[in-house]
Amino acid sequence: MSKPPYFPPPPPIPEKTRLFQRTPPAIFPPIMGLFGLGLAWRRATEVFGVPAGFGDVVLGAVTLLYLFCVVAYIAKLIQRPATFFEDLKVLPGRAGLIAMMLSGYLLAASIVVYSTTWATVIFSLALAGHILVAGRVAFTLITGPVEARSVTPVWHLLFVGFILSPFPALPLGFHAFSTVAFWGSLVVAIAIWGASLAQFLRADVPPPLRPLLAIHLAPASVLPTVAFMLGLPEVAYPLCALAVVLLSLLVLRARWLTVAGFSPLWGAFTFPLAAFSTVMQIAAVSTGSEVLRIIAGLSLVAASLMIPPIAYKVVMMWSKGVLAVKTNAAQA
């Protein structure tokens, strides 16, 4: 006797979502890295004789991508403003939101040579957003459980990220502000490096979170860059040496850092590498050292080979709807 035909039930119809309903903040760290890469290539005009417009072309393309992503995230906030605070509760969201604000500093630094008015507006918005995000996270850490106060490299972005503000602030004439930002950021960075080292010696870092360790290189590269801009080479040189040591450690432990495979957290590799190339270029010009010039060139090539593919993969994950799921982004 033959079995009756079996007709499986139709697959469930997925819930229809609104446009930009789950825009993931994790899209911003690699964009921040692309901004850093564009600024590094702009600097290469002086050091390596690169055509003056090349860095500007990169910065122009990144600016369009950044503005699109900002609009997409604002569209999510308009639909449900509480998603902002929900995104701050998870590490990828927290890193993404602060990267969005820090990218504003880099955008202002990119356009200050064309329009001081627009650069001032963008700088002011970025500073206000940075204070908002850092203040909210600090409040959560202070009032939350003690277990949630473990130091992470993202603290550098939150509390040392103000060191990026002199990039547009100094050309705009805010010298006193930049000086305060530099010394304050230096003190906080040293405290975070010390606390992170003590914590690392006590317990190993889980493999999925190891790429975040690359963020430690960012302040070690940006602090001496600003020191050079402020005319403090005697402060910049020791920090440059620290940056070289940190990058060497990251390269030597590259396999250990990436053992968990590609993830959106690889965005943490992007900006620190670009910032390192920039400071090495400045140090090479300041000292006339051919060794530093070679290091600057090699790091610029490495940044150019690594940052765009990482950014492309993260953007593709967003376009396929995977990025929001993997980073637990809030939904409006």
Side-chain angles (χ1 to χ4, degrees):
M1 183 177 180
S2 62
K3 294 183 179 180
Y6 172 71
F7 300 99
I13 300 175
E15 180 184 357
K16 188 176 181 180
T17 58
R18 298 181 296 275
L19 185 65
F20 303 135
Q21 189 175 358
R22 204 176 183 185
T23 303
I27 192 65
F28 290 103
I31 292 177
M32 183 178 171
L34 289 171
F35 267 122
L37 181 62
L39 291 172
W41 275 106
R42 177 185 280 182
R43 175 72 61 176
T45 300
E46 175 186 359
V47 183
F48 302 110
V50 175
F54 184 77
D56 290 339
V57 170
V58 175
L59 290 170
V62 179
T63 296
L64 294 177
L65 176 61
Y66 173 68
L67 293 178
F68 174 78
C69 293
V70 169
V71 169
Y73 192 77
I74 291 176
K76 181 172 87 167
L77 294 184
I78 292 174
Q79 296 178 63
R80 192 165 71 88
T83 54
F84 175 80
F85 301 102
E86 293 173 8
D87 281 330
L88 281 178
K89 293 179 180 178
V90 295
L91 188 61
R94 189 176 295 177
L97 286 177
I98 193 59
M100 177 172 67
M101 307 308 174
L102 299 184
S103 295
Y105 294 139
L106 301 179
L107 173 57
S110 301
I111 70 170
V112 70
V113 296
Y114 301 108
S115 172
T116 56
T117 301
W118 277 109
T120 302
V121 171
I122 296 170
F123 164 71
S124 301
L125 291 174
L127 180 60
H130 188 177
I131 293 173
L132 173 64
V133 173
R136 176 65 186 185
V137 173
F139 175 79
T140 302
L141 292 173
I142 293 171
T143 59
V146 177
E147 297 76 15
R149 298 177 192 170
S150 59
V151 180
T152 71
V154 176
W155 282 27
H156 279 302
L157 302 179
L158 289 162
F159 306 120
V160 187
F162 292 101
I163 192 57
L164 288 175
S165 60
F167 282 15
L170 280 172
L172 291 171
F174 303 140
H175 191 276
F177 169 87
S178 301
T179 302
V180 172
F182 171 75
W183 290 110
S185 298
L186 177 60
V187 171
V188 177
I190 292 173
I192 294 176
W193 280 324
S196 298
L197 179 60
Q199 187 171 276
F200 180 77
L201 294 175
R202 290 196 304 267
D204 192 16
V205 180
L209 298 181
R210 289 175 186 172
L212 293 177
L213 293 175
I215 297 176
H216 286 297
L217 176 62
S221 300
V222 179
L223 281 164
T225 300
V226 176
F228 280 122
M229 294 170 68
L230 290 171
L232 300 170
E234 67 281 359
V235 180
Y237 293 141
L239 291 168
C240 287
L242 175 62
V244 172
V245 170
L246 289 177
L247 179 64
S248 300
L249 291 174
L250 291 173
V251 171
L252 290 173
R253 300 302 302 274
R255 184 178 181 85
W256 179 81
L257 287 170
T258 58
V259 68
F262 182 82
S263 77
L265 294 185
W266 278 38
F269 291 128
T270 59
F271 178 74
L273 185 54
F276 178 83
S277 175
T278 297
V279 75
M280 287 297 106
Q281 292 183 56
I282 297 174
V285 172
S286 176
T287 61
S289 170
E290 188 63 26
V291 173
L292 291 179
R293 189 172 181 272
I294 293 173
I295 294 175
L298 291 175
S299 58
L300 181 59
V301 171
S304 302
L305 293 175
M306 288 179 58
I307 295 175
I310 291 175
Y312 175 79
K313 283 190 174 184
V314 174
V315 170
M316 287 298 99
M317 291 175 70
W318 180 26
S319 68
K320 296 175 183 177
V322 178
L323 185 61
V325 176
K326 285 186 173 292
T327 58
N328 198 24
Q331 181 170 320

